[in-house]
């Protein structure tokens, strides 16, 4: 008797999908309007005006480049790129949820009121989730 096993492809988690979208923005994230659009499209901020500074954009791009460097299996990550991205993460304020919510993909929640930093904190939470589940190792650029 022959037994065949079929495997069902595993769908990426919401956190992995967010990280994949974030690192693949490339030329689509070049100015403050692009950043506002990305944050809104991914529901990382509330509706309404988002005051975005050039420093906010720079931090976002720095974080994206650091995560992208870790996910790029074809090259060795530049330590300076990783250090700059880590500095962005170190500056974000997050808190741990006592109870999970229906709409959260991460146990981490933003602990800030600034909309851009709230969005970056949610990206950081998604990154923490893919790290904790080891899903980042299956992600490809």
């Amino acid at each position: 008797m022959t037994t065949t096993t079929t495997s069902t492809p595993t769908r990426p988690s919401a956190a992995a999908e967010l990280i994949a979208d974030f690192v693949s923005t490339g030329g689509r994230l070049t100015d403050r309007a692009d950043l506002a659009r990305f944050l809104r499209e991914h529901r990382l901020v509330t509706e309404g005006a988002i005051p975005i500074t050039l420093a906010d954009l720079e931090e976002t791009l720095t974080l994206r480049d650091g995560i992208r460097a870790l996910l790029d299996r074809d090259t060795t990550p530049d330590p300076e790129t990783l250090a700059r991205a880590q500095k962005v993460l170190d500056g974000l304020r997050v808190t741990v949820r006592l109870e999970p919510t229906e709409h959260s993909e991460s146990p981490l929640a933003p602990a800030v009121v600034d909309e851009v930093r709230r969005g970056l904190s949610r990206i950081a939470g998604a990154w923490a989730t893919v790290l904790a589940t080891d899903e980042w190792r299956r992600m490809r650029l």
Side-chain angles (χ1 to χ4, degrees):
M1 177 175 179
T2 307
T3 305
T4 51
T5 307
T6 59
S7 64
T8 306
T10 306
R11 179 170 165 76
S13 67
E17 288 178 349
L18 173 58
I19 294 300
D21 286 350
F22 182 59
V23 299
S24 67
T25 55
R28 296 180 293 125
L29 191 55
T30 58
D31 62 24
R32 293 181 291 180
D34 293 338
L35 176 53
R37 191 171 18 267
F38 179 85
L39 294 172
R40 280 192 187 101
E41 285 174 359
H42 290 83
R43 303 166 112 188
L44 300 175
V45 295
T46 59
E47 290 298 320
I50 306 172
I52 298 175
T53 66
L54 290 175
D56 291 334
L57 178 62
E58 185 63 35
E59 275 194 332
T60 301
L61 297 177
T62 298
L63 180 57
R64 182 197 62 192
D65 292 347
I67 294 172
R68 182 186 289 161
L70 285 173
L71 293 176
D72 184 357
R73 305 292 192 279
D74 296 332
T75 61
T76 302
D78 172 46
E80 186 60 33
T81 299
L82 298 180
R84 285 191 308 267
Q86 186 61 57
K87 187 174 179 181
V88 172
L89 288 173
D90 290 344
L92 296 174
R93 293 190 55 221
V94 295
T95 185
V96 177
R97 295 178 193 281
L98 184 59
E99 293 183 85
T101 64
E102 183 178 319
H103 303 289
S104 69
E105 62 269 351
S106 172
L108 299 177
V112 293
V113 292
D114 174 89
E115 286 295 321
V116 175
R117 297 193 68 73
R118 181 177 292 143
L120 288 179
S121 293
R122 288 186 170 127
I123 291 168
W127 180 244
T129 298
V130 298
L131 285 177
T133 61
D134 243 10
E135 191 172 10
W136 74 281
R137 295 185 187 279
R138 296 184 301 275
M139 296 175 68
R140 298 284 180 246
L141 292 179

